[in-house]
Amino acid sequence: MDFTVVIPARYQSSRFPGKPLANIQGKPMVQHVVDRANEAGASKVIVATDDERIASVAEQFATVVMTATTHTSGTERIAEVIQSQKIADDTIIVNVQGDEPFVPADNIRQVAANLAANPAMQMATLCTRISHEDDVFNPNIVKVVFSATGKALYFSRSVLPFARDTMMQAPVSADPGLYYRHIGLYAYRASYVNQYVSYEPSALEQIESLEQLRALWYDDAIHIEEALSEPPVGIDTPDDLTTLLASLSARPEGL
């Protein structure tokens, strides 16, 4: 199975400027992401960036495509890559976020294989069971519900589903085993990326600030499956990086 990984990498993050270049065990963060994509067996790995500082570093270990500074999402950045590189419509593209340096390679491979095995679906993504009660109520942890056939029904920052019989009595208490956390790893065919960015933004995605809701709004299908490997938490802030580095120093063998 052939698939291409595109890693959107932006320098001007409001919470962590220069994040893709942060040093982790002697490598910039974006290089770790590239390594995971190569381990997954990607036929091609592209770093898509709008910043020369990232490009000059990333071109040492990956194909780099410069993109516009006006994109509001990684998917829009990938659409420009598809157009500029003339990527064939049937190519499977995996969008791997640049702030997850230790995303498991088998998860990258899994999401690409899921899309290939489900040709009626426009996208594929992953989830994992929530194990801590606090995460159920954390709006930064996106919850997902899906059908018996693995079709995503809805994504939300709210408690989803709502366990009526118990939560009506104790709305701050929940059984975490009933909930799934969405993992922000996406696969789609190049033709669908172009279709997606042609849509007007939807009310739901703007309310929840979740771009995958645009696909559901326009009746497109997203396949979802439990991840083969538990993914580590992404790095959003310098404190997240400090926590990661501390965990790595406590484990000399790394992750």
Side-chain angles (χ1 to χ4, degrees):
M1 179 189 60
D2 289 337
F3 63 94
T4 294
V5 168
V6 182
I7 304 167
R10 194 167 58 95
Y11 192 94
Q12 296 299 339
S13 167
S14 59
R15 290 187 289 177
F16 194 167
K19 180 168 57 174
L21 301 181
N23 187 297
I24 300 174
Q25 294 185 321
K27 294 181 182 180
M29 186 186 300
V30 68
Q31 185 173 358
H32 285 278
V33 183
V34 169
D35 289 347
R36 302 293 83 74
N38 285 324
E39 289 169 12
S43 54
K44 191 169 188 178
V45 181
I46 298 171
V47 175
T49 186
D50 58 4
D51 192 276
E52 291 288 353
R53 289 163 289 190
I54 294 173
S56 64
V57 171
E59 66 187 6
Q60 300 173 50
F61 46 78
T63 299
V64 175
V65 176
M66 295 298 296
T67 56
T69 60
T70 53
H71 296 309
T72 60
S73 71
T75 306
E76 289 182 4
R77 200 172 301 282
I78 290 172
E80 183 179 351
V81 171
I82 289 169
Q83 181 178 21
S84 69
Q85 302 302 298
K86 297 179 171 58
I87 295 176
D89 284 349
D90 61 350
T91 302
I92 292 177
I93 305 289
V94 180
N95 176 352
V96 180
Q97 299 193 35
D99 58 359
E100 295 192 7
F102 296 107
V103 56
D106 53 0
N107 288 357
I108 298 173
R109 190 165 47 249
Q110 177 187 8
V111 77
N114 287 355
L115 185 68
N118 291 276
M121 301 280 190
Q122 282 72 45
M123 295 174 59
T125 189
L126 300 175
C127 65
T128 187
R129 288 181 183 271
I130 290 178
S131 56
H132 301 289
E133 185 180 45
D134 288 349
D135 289 346
V136 175
F137 299 96
N138 183 347
N140 294 316
I141 302 293
V142 177
K143 276 67 69 176
V144 60
V145 292
F146 48 91
S147 73
T149 58
K151 182 178 179 180
L153 301 176
Y154 196 67
F155 301 83
S156 183
R157 297 182 183 278
S158 299
V159 177
L160 189 77
F162 185 87
R164 188 200 67 173
D165 291 344
T166 55
M167 296 188 70
M168 290 290 283
Q169 301 172 20
V172 295
S173 178
D175 175 3
L178 300 174
Y179 300 87
Y180 289 86
R181 172 170 71 91
H182 176 231
I183 298 169
L185 190 65
Y186 299 100
Y188 18 50
R189 295 169 191 84
S191 58
Y192 179 70
V193 176
N194 293 326
Q195 179 180 329
Y196 174 93
V197 298
S198 73
Y199 293 149
E200 289 293 325
S202 70
L204 290 180
E205 72 175 284
Q206 293 173 327
I207 291 168
E208 295 257 18
S209 191
L210 296 173
E211 64 171 321
Q212 65 269 35
L213 290 176
R214 186 184 306 184
L216 298 186
W217 177 269
Y218 289 98
D219 290 327
D220 295 333
I222 302 176
H223 182 272
I224 190 161
E225 187 174 85
E226 276 196 74
L228 292 173
S229 298
E230 180 72 21
V233 176
I235 298 172
D236 294 322
T237 67
D239 286 343
D240 292 338
L241 178 59
T242 299
T243 300
L244 173 65
L245 295 176
S247 71
L248 293 177
S249 65
R251 298 179 58 190
E253 74 277 12
L255 292 179

